Amino acid sequence: MIFDRMSLKPKTAIVTGAAHGIGRACALALAEAGADVAVIDLKDTVFKTADEIRALGRKTIPVIADISDEEQMNEAIERIIREWGKLNICFCNAGTFQDIPAEDMPLEEFERVIRVNLTGAFITARAAGKAMIQGNIPGSIILTASMSGHIANIPQCQCAYNSSKAGVIMLGKSLAIEWARHKIRVNTISPGYIRTWSDEPLKPEEIGTSNFEQWTPLRRFGSADEIQGLIVYLAGDTSSFVTGSDFVIDGGYTAF
C-alpha cells in the first residue's frame, strides 16, 4: 500500500534550522510520518520543537549548534549516532539572509552569507553522508536552496544570498553523483516566498496586497506546511529513484 511505503518508521532524521519556519514544520512532518527526529538550531526555541516531537510519540535530540562550525556539527551528528545507532535522513535547512546593495556590502557580510548557506550545507551534508557511508545505510539528504538560486529577485539586493543558493543547488547535484554508489540520494528544494517570519496569520484585508504576492501567479505567500509533503516524500522510500533533482515550490513565480 502506498501509505505503508510512505511511512518513515523506524528511520531516524536530523533537521537543521528546526526552531521555526520550514525547519520546524518539516521536523514535525517527519515525526508524524514515523521518524525519530533530532533538531538542530542556534536558537533555544528548538527545545519547543523537540517538545512537539515528543508529543507525537517520537524520540528527539535537541541540539544547539552552528551549521557553519565544522566541529560543532561533527559533534552533533556523532552524538546522534551514539544515541540512536544510525542516521537515515538529513534535512539541511538552516540558512541566513541579507539585503544590502552590492556596492555597499562589506566583504565580511558577503562571506558570512556564503559561509552559512553554502559552506554550512556542505559541512552538515558531509557529516551526515559520512555517517551513512560508515553505517552502510542507504540514506536521503535534502538541502534547502531557493528560487533565488534560479533567478535574481527584484527589488531585493541579495547577491550573496542568490549566489549561495545557486551553489546549494549544484552542491546537491554533485553530492548526488558522488554518493549514488553508496545508495545515498541527495536532492534540493527551492522555495519561493514562504511566510515564515511570523506565526500571526494575515488579516483578510492584508492577503494578496504585497508586491511579492502580486508577482506570484497564485497571488499569495506559501506556508511552511506546504513544504511538508515534499520533504516526507523525498525522505522516504517512495522517492527511491529520485536523486540530483531540485524541486521548485514557488506558486508559479519562476514559471514566467
Side-chain angles (χ1 to χ4, degrees):
M1 297 291 290
I2 187 65
F3 290 113
D4 293 332
R5 291 170 55 209
M6 292 185 72
S7 171
L8 298 181
K9 293 181 180 179
K11 297 181 186 293
T12 65
I14 64 169
V15 177
T16 66
H20 70 286
I22 292 173
R24 171 187 167 274
C26 292
L28 296 178
L30 293 171
E32 288 176 8
D36 294 327
V37 187
V39 287
I40 300 174
D41 205 291
L42 275 174
K43 299 177 181 177
D44 60 11
T45 47
V46 75
F47 292 103
K48 181 179 178 182
T49 304
D51 288 340
E52 292 177 294
I53 291 170
R54 293 187 188 99
L56 294 169
R58 306 311 307 173
K59 296 177 183 177
T60 187
I61 302 172
V63 180
I64 301 294
D66 180 353
I67 63 165
S68 67
D69 187 301
E70 182 178 20
E71 183 177 352
Q72 289 184 31
M73 289 308 299
N74 287 343
E75 288 177 356
I77 291 180
E78 287 170 4
R79 175 186 169 189
I80 292 161
I81 298 300
R82 283 197 308 271
E83 295 195 24
W84 288 349
K86 64 177 181 177
L87 177 63
N88 304 101
I89 302 157
C90 177
F91 181 27
C92 308
N93 170 72
T96 191
F97 183 78
Q98 50 70 235
D99 187 359
I100 303 171
E103 67 272 21
D104 297 326
M105 187 183 300
L107 179 59
E108 57 267 24
E109 175 62 14
F110 185 91
E111 292 176 335
R112 181 190 70 84
V113 174
I114 298 295
R115 176 74 185 175
V116 173
N117 289 352
L118 181 53
T119 307
F122 170 71
I123 288 171
T124 305
R126 182 185 60 181
K130 280 186 175 181
M132 293 171 182
I133 292 168
Q134 290 170 359
N136 194 29
I137 297 172
S140 174
I141 297 174
I142 308 158
L143 313 176
T144 296
S146 171
M147 72 174 183
S148 302
H150 296 268
I151 60 168
N153 305 63
I154 56 171
Q156 303 99 303
C157 300
Q158 53 183 47
C159 64
Y161 180 82
N162 296 352
S163 299
S164 70
K165 292 302 187 178
V168 169
I169 293 170
M170 187 50 66
L171 173 64
K173 292 180 182 293
S174 300
L175 295 178
I177 298 304
E178 287 194 38
W179 290 344
R181 67 185 186 276
H182 299 295
K183 298 183 180 179
I184 296 170
R185 298 181 296 107
V186 186
N187 295 285
T188 57
I189 66 167
S190 288
Y193 291 117
I194 308 297
R195 194 169 187 269
T196 60
W197 61 90
S198 174
D199 292 328
E200 295 295 323
L202 288 171
K203 298 177 181 178
E205 63 271 20
E206 295 175 327
I207 296 173
T209 59
S210 73
N211 283 336
F212 301 133
E213 292 169 282
Q214 291 294 316
W215 295 335
T216 298
L218 290 183
R219 296 297 179 93
R220 65 177 177 84
F221 291 111
S223 62
D225 60 8
E226 292 179 297
I227 310 295
Q228 291 176 312
L230 177 59
I231 295 303
V232 171
Y233 166 71
L234 291 175
D237 296 337
T238 49
S239 60
S240 56
F241 200 55
V242 180
T243 195
S245 295
D246 177 66
F247 294 80
V248 180
I249 318 102
D250 67 353
Y253 191 99
T254 60
F256 62 91

